[in-house]
Amino acid sequence: MICNNLSVNDCGHLTFAGMDTVDLAKKYGTPLMLLDEGKIREKMSIYREAMKKYFTDDSMPLYASKALSFKYIYKIAKSENIGIDCVSAGEIYTAVQAGFPMEKAYFHGNSKTEDEIRFAIENNVGHFVCDSIEEVSVVDEIARSMGVVQKVLLRITPGIDPHTHKKISTGSVDSKFGVAIETGQAYELVEKTLALANIQLDGYHCHIGSQIFEYDPFCDAAKIMIKFIADTNKMFGFTAKTLNLGGGMGVRYTEADPEIDYKANIKGIADVISQLCAEYGLDMPRILMEPGRSIVADSGLTLYTAGYLKEITGLKNYISIDGGMTDNPRFTLYQSPYTVLLANRMNEEYDYKCTIAGRCCESGDIIQEDVLLPRPQRNDTIAVLTTGAYNYAMSSHYNKVPKPCVVMIHNKEDFVVIKRETYADMIANEV
Ligand code: LLP
């Protein structure tokens, strides 16, 4: 199986984190997202330990909570002693409600509103990652009005093409994120930021994209960023203490995806950085990374109940499910591959080609096209693997479909971490 938290039990049922998924589907209803706390902690600790070992002692991962933001996961991040990346006041609010130590939070975004900036400062967010010169000036003004000096990283665009889907690639010069080195504007940004009285510049950030398998693009970005540190040191006498390399390491959605050794990747990147720092005569900066997908994707799985089988003679077979693009829009948006299994009949022949059709009034509402399953029947339990990242986080109420229940599994115990939405919840704000 694509992840070691999956297996098949004596009843021929799929197990996840040691639990029978068919039993859990019965207990909680479907659509149901299951999360494996042990796997989330394992991933966080791989990053934490490897970064401490291969970079400086104070280097650490920041969980990119846009991948999946809810109170309990910030509690896990707190107890794993890592930081977080937040991208809205909503994520900051959720982390605060969870009791997360906000000095370890980094506030991202290319369009932070003034209210959000104030809210983040009021809640003692440790760092802002500023995306433009205009933004950094607004943060300076607001910080002054609130009588604080705000620590800041500047988001720099290194000009890297990480060979991933265009919609999740962010490091190229014409990206809407960050300020480009290539145009010379990144240098201007540093100079102007250093002159702002209520901003303390701590260093730089870059993020090249998401779902990246090779580690070379990260090394290429690191090379450009270390040179940028050396250049801005020469130009302005400013030594960047922190370099944040962003997120983006890939995960296996299907057997076709390679396995990734995150620890080895981190070591490889660290080797390049140490060598470069030696060449430029710099101390190694504190390194931050922002893994989102690689922390939660394979820590999650979604269960659906099969609806109707539609066999279009000679053309296509569809099996409908009780969820779809409302809880997982990733095939609709990016044609993302997923592994689909028939959780209640794992040992039968996987020889029937069918398309998993979501329930929305939209032809594009597909979870996966032409997968092989045992011929599905009504009320079978369909499992879609590796759904922990950017599924619930991107869910919607399209067609007024309530959001699913999310259940955490830890040490063979299951408990609700996000309740299933009711129809009443969905109209709570309607007048
Ligand atoms: N840091 C920054 C600044 C980011 O923009 C992102 C992701 C991350 C970290 C985390 O990247 P990760 O480790 O998860 O690859 N909705 C898309 C993914 C969008 C990624 C947005 N930024 C998807 O479903 O594939």
Side-chain angles (χ1 to χ4, degrees):
M1 296 251 213
I2 59 166
C3 188
N4 62 6
N5 54 5
L6 298 162
S7 188
V8 179
N9 64 15
D10 295 341
C11 315
H13 291 176
L14 175 69
T15 67
F16 178 68
M19 306 288 278
D20 186 315
T21 57
V22 180
D23 288 351
L24 290 171
K26 274 196 197 112
K27 179 169 171 183
Y28 294 102
T30 57
L32 175 66
M33 172 174 277
L34 299 178
L35 291 172
D36 173 359
E37 184 168 340
K39 181 59 80 185
I40 295 173
R41 288 182 180 276
E42 176 193 321
K43 291 291 198 60
M44 287 181 177
S45 70
I46 289 173
Y47 273 96
R48 187 192 59 231
E49 293 310 311
M51 291 183 68
K52 223 175 148 95
K53 182 166 177 191
Y54 300 119
F55 299 127
T56 60
D57 203 44
D58 56 353
S59 293
M60 68 170 172
L62 315 174
Y63 167 59
S65 62
K66 72 204 74 180
L68 182 58
S69 166
F70 63 107
K71 274 171 29 185
Y72 193 81
I73 205 157
Y74 294 109
K75 292 183 185 176
I76 300 179
K78 177 182 175 185
S79 90
E80 288 297 326
N81 202 17
I82 68 169
I84 52 169
D85 149 0
C86 293
V87 77
S88 65
E91 287 181 1
I92 292 171
Y93 176 81
T94 312
V96 169
Q97 292 302 311
F100 189 82
M102 294 308 284
E103 69 279 3
K104 284 206 252 169
Y106 286 68
F107 184 22
H108 270 279
N110 65 317
S111 192
K112 302 173 185 81
T113 67
E114 293 184 24
D115 283 348
E116 284 183 306
I117 293 170
R118 244 174 252 115
F119 184 76
I121 296 176
E122 270 161 20
N123 283 288
N124 304 315
V125 165
H127 284 77
F128 279 51
V129 182
C130 289
D131 196 86
S132 68
I133 186 62
E134 205 173 354
E135 182 201 322
V136 91
S137 314
V138 173
V139 174
D140 176 61
E141 250 169 56
I142 295 175
R144 185 163 31 260
S145 72
M146 295 173 76
V148 299
V149 173
Q150 181 58 51
K151 282 190 265 175
V152 155
L153 301 181
L154 296 176
R155 181 160 180 172
I156 305 298
T157 319
I160 296 281
D161 175 6
H163 307 296
T164 185
H165 195 290
K166 193 171 176 292
K167 286 187 189 157
I168 53 175
S169 169
T170 53
S172 59
V173 182
D174 61 354
S175 165
K176 77 166 183 175
F177 298 107
V179 178
I181 298 177
E182 213 169 303
T183 60
Q185 286 164 305
Y187 299 97
E188 259 173 66
L189 173 67
V190 174
E191 188 173 21
K192 289 190 174 153
T193 303
L194 287 169
L196 298 173
N198 288 74
I199 297 290
Q200 181 188 323
L201 182 57
D202 192 34
Y204 306 129
H205 169 277
C206 68
H207 170 79
I208 54 175
S210 197
Q211 183 62 351
I212 301 167
F213 287 107
E214 305 116 61
Y215 85 100
D216 294 2
F218 295 101
C219 296
D220 293 344
K223 279 182 200 156
I224 291 168
M225 295 305 293
I226 295 288
K227 180 173 182 305
F228 185 71
I229 292 178
D231 287 347
T232 49
N233 180 274
K234 255 195 237 138
M235 292 164 82
F236 313 116
F238 165 70
T239 310
K241 286 202 292 288
T242 301
L243 173 60
N244 183 333
L245 291 174
M249 285 201 206
V251 298
R252 293 187 85 200
Y253 284 96
T254 67
E255 299 281 353
D257 291 326
E259 277 187 58
I260 294 200
D261 184 341
Y262 299 98
K263 187 176 170 190
N265 277 4
I266 291 168
K267 182 175 184 313
I269 298 166
D271 289 344
V272 170
I273 293 181
S274 321
Q275 198 190 325
L276 287 160
C277 286
E279 276 169 32
Y280 288 110
L282 296 168
D283 289 336
M284 194 198 262
R286 176 174 78 123
I287 303 291
L288 304 174
M289 291 177 106
E290 298 170 332
R293 188 192 310 274
S294 53
I295 301 287
V296 283
D298 56 14
S299 307
L301 158 163
T302 305
L303 300 172
Y304 301 101
T305 299
Y308 306 104
L309 184 64
K310 183 175 290 179
E311 299 178 307
I312 308 176
T313 313
L315 283 175
K316 214 169 171 84
N317 305 317
Y318 287 100
I319 181 71
S320 71
I321 53 170
D322 55 356
M325 66 187 288
T326 46
D327 59 86
N328 180 1
R330 295 192 71 259
F331 184 82
T332 307
L333 279 174
Y334 322 114
Q335 299 74 52
S336 298
Y338 278 102
T339 301
V340 182
L341 299 171
L342 208 58
N344 56 320
R345 292 192 278 134
M346 287 295 291
N347 294 333
E348 292 183 23
E349 208 57 47
Y350 275 58
D351 57 359
Y352 181 86
K353 198 189 268 185
C354 64
T355 288
I356 315 298
R359 53 166 299 159
C360 287
C361 293
E362 182 104 10
S363 305
D365 178 18
I366 297 290
I367 292 289
Q368 203 60 201
E369 205 151 28
D370 292 340
V371 294
L372 289 176
L373 290 180
R375 187 168 178 275
Q377 294 163 10
R378 205 149 68 81
N379 295 326
D380 272 336
T381 305
I382 292 185
V384 179
L385 309 185
T386 329
T387 56
Y390 305 113
N391 276 224
Y392 195 93
M394 295 173 76
S395 61
S396 74
H397 284 142
Y398 185 42
N399 288 188
K400 215 115 194 185
V401 175
K403 296 195 182 187
C405 176
V406 182
V407 164
M408 187 67 77
I409 301 170
H410 193 39
N411 296 332
K412 300 253 172 113
E413 281 185 28
D414 48 283
F415 50 97
V416 174
V417 283
I418 309 179
K419 288 188 217 162
R420 182 177 303 286
E421 258 184 339
T422 63
Y423 302 129
D425 290 335
M426 283 194 294
I427 62 163
N429 292 327
E430 295 180 18
V431 289

